[in-house]
């Protein structure tokens, strides 16, 4: 596995559990990439019916099982999500969205405006209504990656940090033979590209095109508070922002409490390369939207803000599974803003494929060769 983020960790966990000999290589520490800079929302609520929702529903079940296996340390909270609309038209749009989701197994309970505060006592008054999604949950992403890897190591996996994969070795038949790092050669009949936002670079080392791009996001962290926010709460327009392919700035706050007390307010979306500059405009917009939904947050101190770069593929679906162009090369990257949530299903599907089993879901929509190489006929 190349990458010790949550996706590589989940792949290592399920592959080791399936009895495979596994080595995980990362140029940095565990969770030093986007996993350490994300939030821990495990959402079905924001996904329309289709392959990504199928992955999310499978992951929902797997996260529940993992939480038992990994224990309290990963801060798994099956707290549910609440999506709210400020207008009747917005509520109607949520109703139509939820009807489609229900048809494929999502639990979505309509909440009239006057009952929203039974779920969230500090919500702004006057909202038109919303939906409660009891399957939405939360984990602490860096801890989840660390504990998945710890469990994988107990099952025999090797973890190598601080080494950069600089080459993917191919045999004369074009099949994968292993990888080279800046310090050693690792022989392997299969290589899993779990390099997140850098998955395109890793693919290029094997000679194939995979257009993973960074989509920047900021998160605000407040001072520790008593539980003023009980669920994951966001406004209806968040779904449109997630699905948008625009490179421009989009913000719609998702608000959640954490076991430690701080409230997390995420997240913006924009494609500005790997620009790490702190944007006050973005932070102001997120804070304003959060205070609109929860007026109690208007007087709360923000302790810090951080940013990360989501691994974005142009159709918003990850690349998962064997690459038909290079035998032995598998991809598990490009999960954009949902990689924490989708990690277990990704890991399980990769392990199933590596062990020659029929994967539980059709991997067709996630094929890495679905993107044409720009500039060639
Ligand atoms: C602000 C923000 C909020 C988010 N909120 C959520 C959320 O609430 N829920 C959710 O599900 N997702 C969320 N995400 C998205 C989520 O964080 C990512 O989808 C996920 O972390 C991707 O995990 P990964 O393991 O694929 O990548 P990463 O965690 O980036 O891991 C990839 C690893 O590969 C290593 N690597 C790369 N190239 C090489 C190489 N050549 N050699 C060795 N190692 C290499 C890197 O060092 C890195 O550690 C958010 C993201 C951001 C930025």
């Amino acid at each position: 596995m190349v990458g010790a983020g949550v996706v590589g960790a989940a792949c290592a966990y399920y592959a080791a559990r399936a009895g495979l000999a596994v080595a995980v290589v990362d140029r940095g520490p565990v969770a030093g990439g986007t996993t350490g800079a994300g939030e821990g929302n495990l959402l079905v609520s924001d996904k329309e019916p289709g392959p990504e929702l199928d992955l999310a529903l499978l992951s929902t079940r797997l996260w529940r099982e993992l939480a038992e296996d990994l224990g309290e340390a990963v801060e798994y909270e099956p707290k549910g999500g609440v999506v709210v609309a400020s207008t009747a038209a917005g509520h109607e749009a949520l109703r139509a969205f939820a009807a489609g989701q229900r048809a494929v197994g999502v639990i979505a309970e309509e909440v009239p405006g006057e009952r929203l505060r039974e779920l969230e006592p500090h919500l702004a008054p006057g909202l038109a209504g919303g939906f409660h999604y009891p399957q939405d949950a939360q984990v602490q992403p860096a801890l989840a990656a660390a504990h998945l890897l710890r469990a994988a190591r107990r099952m025999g996996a090797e973890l190598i940090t601080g080494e950069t994969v600089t080459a993917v070795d191919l045999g004369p038949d074009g099949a994968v033979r292993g990888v080279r790092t800046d310090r050693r050669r690792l022989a392997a009949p299969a290589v899993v590209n779990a390099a997140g936002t850098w998955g395109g670079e890793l693919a290029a080392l094997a000679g194939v095109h995979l257009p993973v791009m960074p989509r920047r996001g900021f998160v605000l962290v407040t001072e520790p508070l008593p539980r003023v926010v009980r669920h994951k709460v966001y406004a209806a327009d968040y779904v449109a922002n997630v699905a948008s392919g625009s490179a421009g700035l989009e913000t719609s706050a998702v608000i959640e409490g954490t076991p430690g007390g701080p409230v997390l307010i995420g997240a913006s979306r924009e494609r500005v390369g790997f620009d790490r500059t702190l944007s006050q405009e973005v932070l102001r917009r997120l804070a304003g939207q959060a205070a609109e939904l929860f007026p109690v947050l208007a007087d709360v101190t923000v302790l810090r803000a951080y940013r990360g770069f989501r691994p974005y593929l142009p159709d918003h679906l990850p690349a998962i599974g064997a690459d038909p162009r290079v035998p032995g090369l598998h991809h598990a990257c490009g999960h954009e803003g949902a990689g924490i949530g989708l990690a277990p299903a990704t890991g399980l599907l990769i392990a199933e494929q590596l062990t020659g089993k029929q994967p539980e879901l059709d991997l067709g929509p996630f094929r890495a060769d679905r993107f044409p190489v720009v500039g060639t006929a």
Side-chain angles (χ1 to χ4, degrees), residues 201-241:
E201 293 168 24
L202 203 282
L205 292 180
V208 291
H209 172 67
L210 185 63
V212 187
M213 289 170 268
R215 197 175 186 197
R216 186 172 73 176
F218 285 101
V219 177
L220 296 176
V221 186
T222 73
E223 61 185 313
L225 300 173
R227 268 281 153 126
V228 293
V229 184
R230 298 179 180 178
H231 301 80
K232 336 218 103 248
V233 183
Y234 61 90
D237 49 359
Y238 172 78
V239 176
N241 280 356

Side-chain angles (χ1 to χ4, degrees), residues 37 93-94 110 159 169 241 254 263 367 377:
L94 284 182
E110 182 158 354
L159 173 65
D169 287 332
N241 280 356
V254 179
V263 169
R367 277 174 64 133

Side-chain angles (χ1 to χ4, degrees), residues 337-365:
I340 315 297
L342 303 179
T346 304
L348 179 71
L349 294 166
I350 289 283
E352 285 172 344
Q353 209 177 39
L354 287 172
T355 50
K357 284 195 186 139
Q358 179 68 25
E360 221 159 293
L361 293 179
D362 173 20
L363 292 179

Side-chain angles (χ1 to χ4, degrees), residues 2-8 25-29 31-42 163-166 194-198 201-202 205 215-219 256 267-268 306-311 332-342:
V2 183
V6 71
V7 174
V25 189
D26 199 297
R27 62 188 172 198
T34 310
T35 297
E39 291 176 88
N41 298 312
L42 316 176
E163 287 188 33
T164 302
V165 171
T166 53
T197 311
W198 303 272
E201 293 168 24
L202 203 282
L205 292 180
R215 197 175 186 197
R216 186 172 73 176
F218 285 101
V219 177
E256 70 205 42
S268 55
Y306 60 86
R307 99 284 290 139
F309 299 95
R310 300 177 186 87
C333 61
H335 297 72
E336 202 183 329
I340 315 297
L342 303 179

Side-chain angles (χ1 to χ4, degrees), residues 1 55 64 76 102 149 198 248 274 282 284 321 333 355:
M1 316 283 160
L55 270 185
R64 262 200 308 270
Y76 174 78
R102 280 201 192 109
L149 282 169
W198 303 272
F274 284 102
V282 177
R284 204 173 297 120
C333 61
T355 50

